[in-house]
Each structure stands twice: as structure tokens, then as C-alpha cells.
Amino acid sequence: MAVPVWSVDPRTGKQREQVAVEATAADVDAAVRAAHAARGELAGRTARIALLRAAAEELEAAREEIVAAADAETALGEVRLNGELGRTTYQLLAFADEVADGAYLDVVIDHADASLTPPRPDLRRYKIPLGVVAVYAASNFPLAFSVPGGDTASALAAGCPVVVKAHPDHPATSELCAAALRRAAARAGLSEDVVRVVHGFDAGVELVKHPLVAAAGFTGSIRGGRALFDAAAARPVPIPFHGELGSLNPVVVTEAAAKERAEGIGGGLAGSMTMGSGQFCTKPGLVLAPEGESGDRLLEALAESVAETAGGPMLDTRMREAFLAGVRARAELEDVTAPVAAAEGEDQAVRAGFLTVPAERLAGSERHGLLLEECFGPVTVVARYRDVGEVSAVLAKLPGNLTATLHIAEEEAGEEGGAAARLLAELTPLAGRVLVNGWPTGVAVTPAQHHGGPYPATTSTSTSVGATAIERWLRPVAYQDTPPALLPEELRDDNPLGLPRRVDGRREG
């Protein structure tokens, strides 16, 4: 019997419309096989560039309908969602430019040299696509990390067809975006099967196990991501699983920084931790702030700003209940106080809040380890420290994170080898992106970006944002002593495609 997939309004908890039915094992098999059969159509860089650019245009043309559906399913608001759609189209265009540039192929040619010891054969290396990529859409970014998001864009750019497991929190949005991508494929002269979408929990499990799936990208919870990661590793032929699972995103505020601008830091923290109802993967969930007058001023500014923040719904009822239960469990711990209590709001809304605890509790109590785990939603923990030794003790207990932030005073910025430099060195092993005097919410789509981090932030060392995200879906191949007529065009001496490359140790192009 077909299981219906409903679009649900998180503001009321009521069903809006039936969008699809959950995919059976046979449906998943058909989708993967269709995508696999279409992989040859993505071999040409020109076709991929056309697809990515057409996808951006089709999404833009359907902006009004897509944003309306996404708002109805996520309650994230049209302003936020319009911005997210702009980010989504931008990253599609950015990957089109990356394909056009060709540097991602990493072409290296070493001509034969008999004079070397040992003699060197003719070797030519570049990267080729892995095959069908399974993408698991995120709940909190219905566009930028879902059907048309960065995993899909980078996989298509690499030449890999995609099968997306849609997130149950926004199935209607997923179908609208998938239709736009399929229209783009047709415009580019490609099979629409280069992008397929399936729905349902069981479909997600079947997808990662399918023998024709060559890699997977996931954004979600530690529990769900770890289960899929284990399934990917347990296959007869294991596959790469690039998962983003969870992050606390610690922030350290030096005493000098608090003294210099306590109110600004407190207000900035409030804005960052409540953005999107606290449902960003980069939300600062733990802040180390000094005891004393300066730290008190920071907390007063934070309390004032958080108290003024309007409540809002979370993405679904399950997340709302988990958030409220998580806050209660943390607030019950010894020496934990709630200057502004996170709580239920009207209807399906929640109100933001924050907790405080002495830093020594985090460093010395196993029970307080709960405070070092992500609580998804608009809450953060402020640990008050007496000296930098307590900061170091807490940092030593943290798992991997997407981000780590250090707030310093102007006077500390020029102290090479000083306390700020030492703290930065302690934060660096904890995260993939380290910020100074900023806030981690908001991830710029740019070549230098790295959105990843040590486990459990991610399951690999790669990034899911930025130009190098394409590397996840490629593998290197070297040709040795291969006759010129048999070489791929990318590796020929005359460089017919005009690619940047390294030849005999020298950069060209």
C-alpha cells in the first residue's frame, strides 16, 4: 500500500496537501538505474555548464512559487527564503564557472625521462566523476542544502547524476525544485534523469545501499548521519559518505574583548544564536565569557536582546519537542541558571533563551557534558571562566565543530605570540572554519570557504560549500605510457581544451 507524503504547515501542525508517496525499494532501484544510465550525458563540460546555468535560470523564474511553498512548509519567512534562493542560484552559477575554468580536473603531465634514477615513464593524471551520487536533503535549508543545493550542484558539476532523498519537512518545495532542475536538463539537451527525487525514510536507507550509488552527501543529525555512514561503510563495496552531522560552534570571548565592547558582543551573540529560530548548523551553542564586571555587562546585553526577540515556530513538531526537552534537561543540572528561559511560545512557537554555568563545571563534571552537546534551536550556553586555564580545560573536552570563534580586543590583535594567538591555536584543531571578531552564522559561497570539520561535525575532511566541494565526487586516474591517440582530450600535449595544468613541474594556464 502506497504511503502518502504530506506537506505540513509548521505554524499549525496541520497537513496542507499530499505531495507524493514514499518510494518503495523498486522505486529507488528504478531511480538509481535511470540516473546511472544518464551519466554519459554529463561527460561533456559544455553540457554541464549549460545545465547549471539553466538550473539557476529556471529556479529564478519559479522564485515566487518556490518561496511561497518553502515558507508554508518551514515558516522560515519570505525574506530569509528569498535570500536562500539567491544563494542557491549563485552557487549553481559558481560551479558552472568552475567547470568552465577546468582547474578542478587537476591535470598533471610528467613526460618520460630516461635520465632519471629510476627512469620515469610518461604519466598523465586528472580526475573523473565517481558515478551516481545520493544526496540527503537538510531540514533547515530547504533550498541551499536540499534538492537544488550545494551537494547537487557540485555533483552535477563533477559529471555525476544525482538522486536526492527529499526531506519530509518540505516535500512540496522539493518537488518544485526538482521540476526546475529537470526543465534545465531538457533545455541543455540532457536526460531529465540526471536528477531524480525519492521520498521516505526507507527510501533513504535503500538509496545508500544501492550498488550503483557511488557516493553520498548528507546534512542532518548525528544519529541519522552516523547510521547512514555506517551503512555506506558496511556495503560489499564501501562508498565515500560526506556527512555534516552536528556542531556546537564554540565562542571564546577574552577578558579584554569583553571590557572593550561587552554590549556589542552580547547583542551580536543574541542575533546569531536566534537567527532562523536557532536552526542554523553554525549557531553558536557554547560561549566562554569571563567572570567579573565586563562579563556581567555582556550577559546583560545578551539578556536584553534575547528577551526582545520574537518567538517563532521550529521546522516541525518533533524538533520543537526535542528542543524543549533538551533545554529542560540542561536547566536541571547543578549550578546552571537561565537568565532568560527558552520556553514554549503561543501555538507552535518557541521563545529563545540562554543558560549560564561556571566553566569549572564543564571541565570537571561528567553530568555537565550534556552542555557540550548541540541543542538544536534558539538557545546557547554561556560558561563563565575565571582564567584562561579554565578556557583551555573546557576546549580540551570539545568534539569536532564546523566553526570556532574568538573575540579579542583591538590591543590583542597585534600581539604576535600573545594570549590571543595561543587561544587561536587551541581553537584551530576543533573546527574547519575559525573566526575572529565575527559570528559563524552565514557561510559565504566562495573558493576559499571550508564548511566542514573534525567528527562529528563532518565524516570527512572535505567541504560542502565553496568551489572545492566538487572534489568529493571525483577520483584521480593516471595514464602511463599511453599512445597519444588513446588519451582523453584533457591529457593531450596540444591541450585542445585549453585547461590549466602542470607539465613537467611547471604551471601552465
Side-chain angles (χ1 to χ4, degrees), residues 191-216:
S191 167
E192 295 184 2
D193 288 330
V194 296
V195 178
R196 296 290 296 264
V197 172
V198 296
H199 297 265
F201 176 85
D202 291 342
V205 176
E206 292 292 333
L207 187 57
V208 79
K209 293 180 178 179
H210 198 287
L212 294 180
V213 168

Side-chain angles (χ1 to χ4, degrees), residues 174-494:
S174 298
E175 286 294 333
L176 287 173
C177 291
L181 297 184
R182 288 193 288 267
R183 291 194 298 270
R187 282 178 51 188
L190 301 171
S191 167
E192 295 184 2
D193 288 330
V194 296
V195 178
R196 296 290 296 264
V197 172
V198 296
H199 297 265
F201 176 85
D202 291 342
V205 176
E206 292 292 333
L207 187 57
V208 79
K209 293 180 178 179
H210 198 287
L212 294 180
V213 168
F218 171 91
T219 303
S221 68
I222 293 178
R223 181 180 178 183
R226 183 55 194 257
L228 291 171
F229 174 80
D230 290 346
R235 292 168 37 132
V237 179
I239 59 171
F241 183 90
H242 300 284
E244 180 191 320
L245 310 187
S247 185
L248 193 61
N249 304 302
V251 177
V252 176
V253 181
T254 68
E255 188 167 0
K259 183 177 180 180
E260 180 182 85
R261 56 181 198 286
E263 289 75 17
I265 293 172
L269 172 59
S272 185
M273 59 158 284
T274 61
M275 186 179 293
S277 291
Q279 297 173 113
F280 275 46
C281 53
T282 51
K283 180 202 77 175
L286 173 68
V287 182
L288 287 150
E291 291 188 353
E293 186 269 338
S294 297
D296 291 344
R297 287 194 294 117
L298 190 157
L299 259 64
E300 289 169 5
L302 174 63
E304 182 178 349
S305 295
V306 170
E308 292 175 352
T309 302
M314 295 189 69
L315 293 163
D316 61 39
T317 300
R318 177 183 58 82
M319 291 183 190
R320 180 177 184 269
E321 292 175 351
F323 166 71
L324 294 170
V327 170
R328 285 195 297 269
R330 287 161 173 81
E332 290 170 358
L333 294 171
E334 188 177 359
D335 287 337
V336 172
T337 62
V340 178
E344 295 186 66
E346 295 181 1
D347 299 324
Q348 295 293 308
V350 296
R351 297 198 310 270
F354 69 95
L355 305 169
T356 66
V357 65
E360 63 179 334
R361 279 291 186 187
L362 296 183
S365 168
E366 291 300 321
R367 286 194 64 214
H368 287 73
L370 179 62
L371 299 172
L372 303 181
E373 297 176 10
E374 179 184 16
C375 185
F376 192 72
V379 68
T380 195
V381 174
V382 181
R384 305 292 299 273
Y385 67 86
R386 293 172 295 189
D387 53 49
V388 292
E390 288 189 346
V391 173
S392 297
V394 173
L395 295 181
K397 299 192 72 171
L398 296 186
N401 291 271
L402 293 170
T403 73
T405 301
L406 178 63
H407 279 269
I408 62 175
E410 184 177 356
E411 66 190 49
E412 297 175 292
E415 295 178 356
E416 186 174 350
R422 291 193 295 272
L423 283 170
L424 202 63
E426 289 186 54
L427 289 169
T428 296
L430 297 177
R433 179 163 57 105
V434 182
L435 301 86
V436 176
N437 290 348
W439 298 105
T441 36
V443 184
V445 180
T446 180
Q449 185 59 270
H450 187 84
H451 188 61
Y455 185 85
T458 53
T459 59
S460 69
T461 59
S462 61
T463 179
S464 61
V465 179
T468 54
I470 195 173
E471 295 175 1
R472 296 174 296 167
W473 322 120
L474 299 163
R475 70 175 180 89
V477 174
Y479 289 83
Q480 182 169 325
D481 294 331
T482 304
L486 302 184
L487 284 169
E489 283 188 303
E490 291 87 349
L491 299 180
R492 294 180 184 175
D493 281 333
D494 59 352

